[in-house]
Amino acid sequence: MVKVRKFFRLSKEAKIYMLSSLSTAIAFRMLDTVIQPYLGIHLGFTISQISLIFLVSTIVQGILTLSLGILADFFNVFNLLIYSFIATDIGILFLILSHNFLIVLAAVILAYLGFNVRVPLMRVVIGKRMSKEELSTYFTITPLFSIVSPLISGFIAQESYTIDFVVAFIFIIIVIPILFIIKSIVPLTEEKPITTTSHIPFKEYSKLMREDRSGLILPLLLAVNRFIFGTSFLYIPLYFTEIIKGSLLELGIMLSTETIAISLASSLSKFISDRLGDVATLAMTRILAAITYALLYFIKSPVIFILINWVGTLFIAMDNVPEVSVISKTKTANLSMSLIDSVSTLLSISSPIIALYIWVNISPEATFLLSLLVIIPSIIMFNYKKL
């Protein structure tokens, strides 16, 4: 109830950001919850074909995320977001209309474009325009609104994947006019920075990178952690439904409980970071998440799998508040935030290949042990506690 009361004290601008995040989160969950079962079970694609789809998609997303992150310093960030979400809706439409492998490949690339581009660009926006207390409220309340969407997605997909994708399509349609509203409001907010970036000339990038070297090394370490985690549980939905025989409804329940964990993590991470510091909190929670996800190697029960996955998600989601807080204070905030997503995405080009190799040649559950590698960059992060 405290967080709900704080919501009503947020500025009009912050509430609109939350509305945008709500619609985006619901659309993403509706798509992402069932995309792997859709490709593997409904369309009958093999694990190799699914890996190829995600491999090509990852390459394209990595290049586009970095490119659009740089373009955001020269063009209106909200225009870039609007065009990206239009591409997302086109991709979802092709997923509905075609079962051809090449068309589905292109559709997946387009469908995830808006979601992938939005993360770094909007994190810079809210990091610069919200206090740490507002960030905690934002990251607590926003996930709560989309708790039921994975559950609804799994329930709907049992009857019709098409209806599930149509719902995602509609929510993206809702996001686009909200972005136009934000675009019109931001310049009118005089007490805060008018733009989301400082519009640094491209020639100054290298100079700023030299001046703020520590502020760029931390994002690179965070990017490596994301890459390792992403590789480790790349095929969790497929593993859950095909290996331990969890139902689509149980998959929806698992992803819904993840949302609860993400919401709870914000208050916990703010509490810890206020006492230990942002960087120490990031490092410690990465290590705990790595150990937790490695435990999935031993789990065969869908119920226990859901419980351990929930704890792991709680630790991973503790990055939101401290990450946005510390990165937005650096001299190269826009570049740094883009580096986290673009570098982790480009590194993850190899994720489908690595995960597929382990899945086929060792065992499907062995992919979860990769998460233990996160401990190495996380320990290095402690050297940057003064940021």
Side-chain angles (χ1 to χ4, degrees), residues 237-293:
L238 194 63
Y239 180 87
F240 186 84
T241 52
E242 289 201 358
I243 304 302
I244 62 174
K245 304 303 180 184
S247 67
L248 286 174
L249 186 58
E250 287 173 321
L251 177 62
I253 292 173
M254 181 177 73
L255 297 179
S256 291
T257 58
E258 283 183 356
T259 307
I260 298 174
I262 293 170
S263 179
L264 292 175
S266 297
S267 296
L268 289 174
S269 63
K270 181 182 181 298
F271 177 82
I272 297 172
S273 63
D274 284 344
R275 287 151 182 80
L276 301 182
D278 292 327
V279 178
T281 301
L282 285 169
M284 182 182 66
T285 54
R286 304 310 87 193
I287 293 172
L288 291 173
I291 295 171
T292 302
Y293 272 104

Side-chain angles (χ1 to χ4, degrees), residues 171-282:
F171 273 98
I172 292 299
I173 292 293
I174 294 172
V175 170
I176 294 173
I178 294 175
L179 289 173
F180 275 109
I181 294 173
I182 296 175
K183 179 183 174 182
S184 67
I185 288 177
V186 170
L188 301 177
T189 309
E190 298 179 357
E191 70 274 15
K192 294 179 182 179
I194 290 178
T195 59
T196 59
T197 68
S198 53
H199 292 274
I200 304 166
F202 188 76
K203 293 181 180 179
E204 298 295 319
Y205 267 40
S206 59
K207 180 180 178 181
L208 286 175
M209 289 174 67
R210 289 193 299 270
E211 293 176 352
D212 200 25
R213 189 171 301 172
S214 296
L216 292 174
I217 293 176
L218 179 62
L220 291 175
L221 292 171
L222 290 170
V224 171
N225 278 347
R226 285 194 186 182
F227 158 63
I228 296 171
F229 275 132
T231 304
S232 180
F233 46 76
L234 179 63
Y235 294 126
I236 272 188
L238 194 63
Y239 180 87
F240 186 84
T241 52
E242 289 201 358
I243 304 302
I244 62 174
K245 304 303 180 184
S247 67
L248 286 174
L249 186 58
E250 287 173 321
L251 177 62
I253 292 173
M254 181 177 73
L255 297 179
S256 291
T257 58
E258 283 183 356
T259 307
I260 298 174
I262 293 170
S263 179
L264 292 175
S266 297
S267 296
L268 289 174
S269 63
K270 181 182 181 298
F271 177 82
I272 297 172
S273 63
D274 284 344
R275 287 151 182 80
L276 301 182
D278 292 327
V279 178
T281 301
L282 285 169

Side-chain angles (χ1 to χ4, degrees), residues 308-330:
I308 294 180
N309 180 71
W310 186 89
V311 176
T313 301
L314 179 68
F315 287 133
I316 285 183
M318 285 187 185
D319 68 343
N320 283 324
V321 173
E323 180 183 293
V324 172
S325 178
V326 70
I327 297 298
S328 63
K329 296 174 185 175
T330 62

Side-chain angles (χ1 to χ4, degrees), residues 44-284:
F45 291 168
T46 66
I47 184 66
S48 297
Q49 288 176 309
I50 296 173
S51 296
L52 180 59
I53 288 174
F54 284 107
L55 172 61
V56 175
S57 176
T58 299
I59 294 173
V60 176
Q61 300 299 337
I63 295 172
L64 290 176
T65 300
L66 180 59
S67 300
L68 293 175
I70 294 173
L71 288 174
D73 282 329
F74 301 93
F75 300 97
N76 188 291
V77 65
F78 298 110
N79 286 340
L80 296 176
L81 287 169
I82 289 167
Y83 295 143
S84 298
F85 276 117
I86 290 174
T88 292
D89 254 354
I90 293 173
I92 294 174
L93 190 61
F94 277 120
L95 277 175
I96 294 172
L97 298 177
S98 179
H99 293 173
N100 177 272
F101 177 79
L102 291 178
I103 295 178
V104 169
L105 170 60
V108 170
I109 292 172
L110 289 173
Y112 279 94
L113 179 60
F115 302 122
N116 289 332
V117 169
R118 180 188 180 278
V119 174
L121 298 187
M122 285 302 295
R123 278 182 172 240
V124 172
V125 173
I126 64 175
K128 286 182 175 293
R129 303 176 70 84
M130 290 186 182
S131 66
K132 196 170 184 179
E133 182 66 27
E134 286 179 315
L135 287 174
S136 177
T137 304
Y138 175 90
F139 284 119
T140 297
I141 295 179
T142 300
L144 288 176
F145 285 108
S146 60
I147 285 177
V148 298
S149 53
L151 184 62
I152 295 174
S153 178
F155 179 78
I156 293 175
Q158 290 187 127
E159 300 300 324
S160 172
Y161 285 100
T162 298
I163 296 176
D164 183 274
F165 291 150
V166 167
V167 173
F169 181 91
I170 292 172
F171 273 98
I172 292 299
I173 292 293
I174 294 172
V175 170
I176 294 173
I178 294 175
L179 289 173
F180 275 109
I181 294 173
I182 296 175
K183 179 183 174 182
S184 67
I185 288 177
V186 170
L188 301 177
T189 309
E190 298 179 357
E191 70 274 15
K192 294 179 182 179
I194 290 178
T195 59
T196 59
T197 68
S198 53
H199 292 274
I200 304 166
F202 188 76
K203 293 181 180 179
E204 298 295 319
Y205 267 40
S206 59
K207 180 180 178 181
L208 286 175
M209 289 174 67
R210 289 193 299 270
E211 293 176 352
D212 200 25
R213 189 171 301 172
S214 296
L216 292 174
I217 293 176
L218 179 62
L220 291 175
L221 292 171
L222 290 170
V224 171
N225 278 347
R226 285 194 186 182
F227 158 63
I228 296 171
F229 275 132
T231 304
S232 180
F233 46 76
L234 179 63
Y235 294 126
I236 272 188
L238 194 63
Y239 180 87
F240 186 84
T241 52
E242 289 201 358
I243 304 302
I244 62 174
K245 304 303 180 184
S247 67
L248 286 174
L249 186 58
E250 287 173 321
L251 177 62
I253 292 173
M254 181 177 73
L255 297 179
S256 291
T257 58
E258 283 183 356
T259 307
I260 298 174
I262 293 170
S263 179
L264 292 175
S266 297
S267 296
L268 289 174
S269 63
K270 181 182 181 298
F271 177 82
I272 297 172
S273 63
D274 284 344
R275 287 151 182 80
L276 301 182
D278 292 327
V279 178
T281 301
L282 285 169
M284 182 182 66

